[in-house]
Amino acid sequence: MKVTILPLLFYFFPLISFAQEVNEEEAAQYLEEDKKKISVVAGLSYLHNSFGLLYKDKVFRLRPNDAFYTEFFLRYRWLDVSFSFAPKLTHINNDDPEKGKSKYFNFGFNFFLSPKIRQYIYYSQVKGLYFQDTKEFMRLLYGNDYDEEGYLQFPDAKYRSFKGETSYLWIGNKSDYRSFNNMTYEPLKDVVVVSTGLFYQYNILSDMNRIIYQGNAFNEVENTPSKDFRIALRSGGGIQKKIKNWYAILEVYPEIYYSKLINEDFHEFNIGGYSNGRVGYDNGNWFFGAGAQLNWINSSNENFYSATQWLFRAGIGFRFNSPTFVNRNFDKIDNILK
């Protein structure tokens, strides 16, 4: 299904590589000026994510309660930092008391090892989960007559994920690909990129020993963290179309992956796909946009490997000149890294 989407991208945007609105000199000048600016973004995301517990050959879903959370991005040159949380003043997360509370934290950045080789590193954590399939699980234990309402809560549960990707740009380079990363980079021209990347992910589900159900707390004596890893080979491409200060970006990457549950006899090879799209406005000083991501895994146990099923994001940001002493120190670092 995903494999057929990529050719359609080029059908809807014919001859995109010839529609350059910014010449090389203007692009080089902008990139030089951008070194002395700081980009800040505040956004709101809706995340649909689920994890799995395997019991008697059946996967039961664990979910974070908070679906909405705020994101903040800060970029200066190659330093690109993001973090997220749900401030109480915004009231964007009206937690269902039966599902407990969830907290998010993530941190990640991108950089290029060369004009063609891109490195992506990301860490994320969610604390506080609930058992979405509580009734089904209880009926498996106590019979089909069980009809109590409520959810099993794991208030201390942590799901930590360490992710990375090393990709090679067959078509395009780091200056073309900058704006595909996030909104802090201004799109300069129409762009086509094609790349192949190796994606790797290590996940840990831990601290499941405290359980709350129907207002009662239970403590398990022993709880062993569940660990798994995933490796995927992704090949695909993306396009960026710019009309004055408006732009649209779309990427699609079919993948072949291998997943393994550590210390358990459970693994599989399968296929999947990653896609990302965004539309927005950017005049160089301030900008806004909205987009969506979709991870698709062709597996009956896809929840077990913790893939974001879908995510919607909207944000607004601005750029301002960085202090002189910051520029001076980063110039020294850049000279060392050359």
Side-chain angles (χ1 to χ4, degrees), residues 308-324:
T308 298
Q309 303 303 305
W310 44 263
L311 179 149
F312 293 101
R313 172 185 287 137
I316 186 170
F318 61 96
R319 298 182 182 92
F320 57 91
N321 293 328
S322 54
T324 303

Side-chain angles (χ1 to χ4, degrees), residues 209-236:
N209 54 309
R210 189 160 73 98
I211 304 172
I212 297 176
Y213 183 57
Q214 295 181 337
N216 299 311
F218 307 90
N219 287 283
E220 294 289 334
V221 177
E222 185 176 338
N223 175 249
T224 303
S226 174
K227 303 176 182 179
D228 66 87
F229 72 87
R230 172 185 170 200
I231 300 175
L233 183 64
R234 293 175 172 173
S235 289

Side-chain angles (χ1 to χ4, degrees), residues 88-101:
K88 294 181 180 180
L89 294 176
T90 60
H91 299 290
I92 59 174
N93 277 311
N94 296 319
D95 293 313
D96 185 339
E98 291 187 351
K99 299 177 181 179
K101 290 184 176 292

Side-chain angles (χ1 to χ4, degrees), residues 103-326:
K103 295 181 179 180
Y104 292 91
F105 172 78
N106 58 60
F107 174 83
F109 58 94
N110 302 280
F111 58 93
F112 274 80
L113 300 173
S114 75
K116 290 284 189 177
I117 300 177
R118 170 180 172 264
Q119 182 64 49
Y120 166 79
I121 299 175
Y122 191 82
Y123 170 77
S124 64
Q125 174 182 293
V126 57
K127 180 180 179 181
L129 304 173
Y130 73 94
F131 213 2
Q132 182 171 330
D133 303 312
T134 294
K135 183 177 288 188
E136 185 178 354
F137 178 74
M138 290 299 189
R139 286 178 175 176
L140 186 64
L141 296 178
Y142 301 112
N144 293 329
D145 293 333
Y146 190 91
D147 201 32
E148 295 289 334
E149 298 297 329
Y151 296 94
L152 287 167
Q153 300 176 20
F154 301 89
D156 302 325
K158 293 180 182 177
Y159 195 91
R160 290 166 288 169
S161 185
F162 302 85
K163 304 175 185 177
E165 183 178 7
T166 305
S167 56
Y168 180 82
L169 294 174
W170 300 101
I171 299 177
N173 54 48
K174 65 180 182 180
S175 61
D176 293 336
Y177 195 78
R178 285 161 47 98
S179 54
F180 286 77
N181 292 323
N182 57 55
M183 281 198 301
T184 63
Y185 300 88
E186 181 184 357
L188 300 180
K189 57 185 179 181
D190 294 348
V191 170
V192 173
V193 295
V194 176
S195 68
T196 297
L198 182 65
F199 173 85
Y200 28 92
Q201 179 177 356
Y202 175 65
N203 306 306
I204 305 172
L205 176 62
S206 62
D207 300 320
M208 298 276 295
N209 54 309
R210 189 160 73 98
I211 304 172
I212 297 176
Y213 183 57
Q214 295 181 337
N216 299 311
F218 307 90
N219 287 283
E220 294 289 334
V221 177
E222 185 176 338
N223 175 249
T224 303
S226 174
K227 303 176 182 179
D228 66 87
F229 72 87
R230 172 185 170 200
I231 300 175
L233 183 64
R234 293 175 172 173
S235 289
I239 55 175
Q240 174 179 284
K241 179 66 177 178
K242 184 177 180 182
I243 302 177
K244 294 185 178 180
N245 291 328
W246 295 88
Y247 68 89
I249 293 174
L250 183 60
E251 297 178 275
V252 177
Y253 296 93
E255 66 183 25
I256 301 173
Y257 77 88
Y258 170 77
S259 299
K260 167 66 177 175
L261 179 61
I262 299 175
N263 298 326
E264 297 286 345
D265 185 20
F266 191 91
H267 64 95
E268 71 174 359
F269 287 93
N270 220 310
I271 61 173
Y274 167 80
S275 59
N276 175 55
R278 186 172 82 244
V279 294
Y281 173 91
D282 193 325
N283 68 2
N285 295 318
W286 69 277
F287 47 92
F288 63 87
Q293 292 179 5
L294 173 66
N295 278 324
W296 170 74
I297 300 175
N298 183 33
S299 170
S300 59
N301 297 304
E302 74 253 24
N303 289 319
F304 189 78
Y305 294 110
S306 177
T308 298
Q309 303 303 305
W310 44 263
L311 179 149
F312 293 101
R313 172 185 287 137
I316 186 170
F318 61 96
R319 298 182 182 92
F320 57 91
N321 293 328
S322 54
T324 303
F325 75 92
V326 175

Side-chain angles (χ1 to χ4, degrees), residues 20-50:
Q20 307 299 326
E21 294 186 0
V22 177
N23 61 40
E24 297 300 326
E25 291 184 2
E26 291 174 325
Q29 181 180 353
Y30 169 80
L31 294 175
E32 189 63 30
E33 295 174 351
D34 185 62
K35 290 182 179 180
K36 299 179 181 179
K37 290 186 177 182
I38 296 175
S39 299
V40 179
V41 179
L44 178 66
S45 292
Y46 180 84
L47 175 68
H48 178 88
N49 206 348
S50 58

